[in-house]
Amino acid sequence: RGLRASPRARSAMPSWVIDRYGHNDVLRFTKDMVFPIIHFPNEVIIKVHAASLNPIDLSMRSGYGATALNMKRDPLKLKSTDTEFPLTLGRDVSGVVMECGLSVSYFKPGDEVWAAIPPWKQGTLSEFVVASGNEVSFKPKRLSHTEAASLPYVGLTAWSAVNQVGGLNRSNCSGKRVLILGASGGVGTFAVQLVKAWGAHVTAVCSHDASTLMKKLGADDVIDYKSGNLEEQLKTLPLFDFILDNVGGSTEKWALDLLKKWSGATYVTLVTPFLINMDKLGVADGMLQTGVTVGSKTVKHLFKGVHYRWAFFMPSGPSLDEIAELVDSGKIQPVIDQVFSFSEVPKAFLKLEGGHARGKTVIDVISKK
């Protein structure tokens, strides 16, 4: 192919890994991470230009969801080694295709692409990463790699909640009243822009210092959750057709009362106990407990005339295609808080851990600093 950096000539690459779960001190830089190999004909190897961090990276660093993710990594217990380590974190990638499996026809080496890699696979805080072709999409033309890397994971999480679970789309969203709780985080800033692009009336809940950002992203009403009782503030507004909850906790107890009854109105939460249940109770009991919980809540709220749903991140190249279209038409813009070089990954984790970021923490992987 005339690619000098052909992966076949390489056996190791620079990467940030963890060898055990814990705090930030478990992050380790190595130049000897095993080079990714194409195992299935639908896979591609991507040279990572930029990656970004999400709260799931903090959770995974601490071992959250390890039971479920290990089952997904090796469901039949076929691997001789009994460990997921060394494990590379990072879900978002923007980069260039280096090599394609035999059945990949949509991409070729040299294509600029972006993707969100599911959490059971090796991550993107690495020089190269392997992804399934159906998880990958062409990078939006108007964005740099650093800008593009900020969007896939939060974009697909919001897309899953709003479109696939919530049922909203460009043809049925116009004029609908949408409430977004936790609007200034990565998923929130994307969701505000998405439903606004589809013509909704958006009420964003965040702290006061994010209100300018929310207005800039198109929110019609911005509510400061610190300026008094949030429930009482929201009760003074007209009822909503759709609520996206990025906060969870006590908000679930009263938020559903803000929906229009018997009109197909839906509450979707991204804060679910699914992985925690499996960590605590094991796979079978954890899944059973989760099923009972979501089932009982769904039925309870159905009798009150509203829909209650859980949503999760779902990897999807086709959904990223639609997101790229919205980005290239100027309807969705990346919101970046800070860019770190590849040598500063631990610092980037600490920044994310500090909370209250306005937008995403991005890693410029090919910078030489």
Side-chain angles (χ1 to χ4, degrees):
R1 293 202 186 103
L3 286 173
R4 278 176 307 162
S6 170
R8 305 200 184 292
R10 305 268 306 264
S11 60
M13 63 176 177
S15 190
W16 282 94
V17 298
I18 60 172
D19 303 299
R20 65 186 195 281
Y21 296 118
H23 296 293
N24 219 41
D25 56 352
V26 299
L27 288 165
R28 170 175 72 88
F29 179 74
T30 176
K31 289 189 171 176
D32 300 318
M33 185 60 176
V34 179
F35 201 95
I37 295 168
I38 289 178
H39 288 288
F40 299 101
N42 69 330
E43 288 182 330
V44 297
I45 292 174
I46 300 168
K47 179 170 175 58
V48 182
H49 282 235
S52 81
L53 297 185
N54 297 282
I56 189 174
D57 294 305
L58 293 176
S59 305
M60 285 178 67
R61 188 197 65 192
S62 307
Y64 164 81
T67 306
L69 295 174
N70 280 339
M71 185 189 77
K72 183 75 179 165
R73 286 179 185 117
D74 189 17
L76 301 177
K77 300 273 187 285
L78 297 176
K79 289 182 183 162
S80 52
T81 54
D82 194 28
T83 175
E84 62 271 37
F85 303 114
L87 183 65
T88 304
L89 301 174
R91 310 274 48 98
D92 292 304
V93 57
S94 183
V96 174
V97 174
M98 291 297 293
E99 183 163 346
C100 300
L102 292 173
S103 73
V104 175
S105 56
Y106 200 54
F107 303 104
K108 63 185 187 308
D111 285 343
E112 295 197 325
V113 294
W114 64 343
I117 311 293
W120 53 87
K121 295 186 179 181
Q122 286 289 21
T124 61
L125 296 175
S126 213
E127 189 182 9
F128 295 89
V129 70
V130 70
S132 300
N134 58 3
E135 294 160 359
V136 179
S137 163
F138 291 108
K139 175 183 81 65
K141 293 179 180 60
R142 72 187 291 161
L143 298 187
S144 67
H145 284 295
T146 352
E147 291 169 325
S150 70
L151 287 173
Y153 188 85
V154 293
L156 288 170
T157 304
W159 190 271
S160 158
V162 171
N163 175 263
Q164 286 159 307
V165 175
L168 296 183
N169 56 54
R170 68 181 70 177
S171 56
N172 69 6
C173 204
S174 184
K176 288 212 166 130
R177 288 185 51 76
V178 173
L179 171 64
I180 297 176
L181 298 161
S184 62
V187 175
T189 52
F190 187 95
V192 167
Q193 296 181 83
L194 178 62
V195 292
K196 197 65 208 165
W198 288 344
H201 178 285
V202 182
T203 302
V205 174
C206 56
S207 59
H208 175 69
D209 59 340
S211 59
T212 311
L213 171 64
M214 288 298 108
K215 287 286 187 190
K216 185 178 158 221
L217 297 179
D220 299 281
D221 294 326
V222 182
I223 309 290
D224 175 9
Y225 69 87
K226 292 178 179 171
S227 70
N229 184 304
L230 178 58
E231 183 183 354
E232 296 308 318
Q233 287 187 78
L234 290 168
K235 276 182 177 167
T236 64
L237 300 173
L239 293 171
F240 294 95
D241 299 289
F242 181 86
I243 297 174
L244 175 61
D245 188 353
N246 296 293
V247 178
S250 61
T251 54
E252 197 175 286
K253 295 187 176 73
W254 49 262
L256 285 107
D257 295 332
L258 304 170
L259 288 170
K260 295 174 184 172
K261 307 285 182 285
W262 306 107
S263 66
T266 305
Y267 166 93
V268 177
T269 179
L270 287 161
V271 185
T272 67
F274 179 62
L275 294 178
I276 293 175
N277 281 345
M278 287 176 88
D279 285 344
K280 279 186 187 166
L281 305 171
V283 173
D285 289 346
M287 287 175 88
L288 181 65
Q289 177 65 54
T290 302
V292 168
T293 305
V294 73
S296 61
K297 285 183 176 184
T298 302
V299 171
K300 181 179 98 176
H301 292 297
L302 209 49
F303 281 119
K304 294 180 181 176
V306 295
H307 297 289
Y308 174 95
R309 298 277 186 273
W310 283 358
F312 304 89
F313 157 78
M314 290 190 243
S316 167
S319 298
L320 277 177
D321 288 343
E322 294 197 57
I323 291 168
E325 215 176 287
L326 286 163
V327 171
D328 277 333
S329 64
K331 302 247 174 70
I332 288 180
Q333 54 184 312
V335 182
I336 294 171
D337 191 68
Q338 198 171 344
V339 179
F340 291 86
S341 67
F342 195 44
S343 62
E344 297 175 312
V345 163
K347 205 189 282 187
F349 268 85
L350 288 176
K351 161 82 178 157
L352 186 63
E353 215 161 2
H356 293 290
R358 296 289 162 256
K360 292 294 300 289
T361 300
V362 177
I363 314 293
D364 181 358
V365 174
I366 58 169
S367 69
K368 291 290 177 253
K369 275 194 292 175

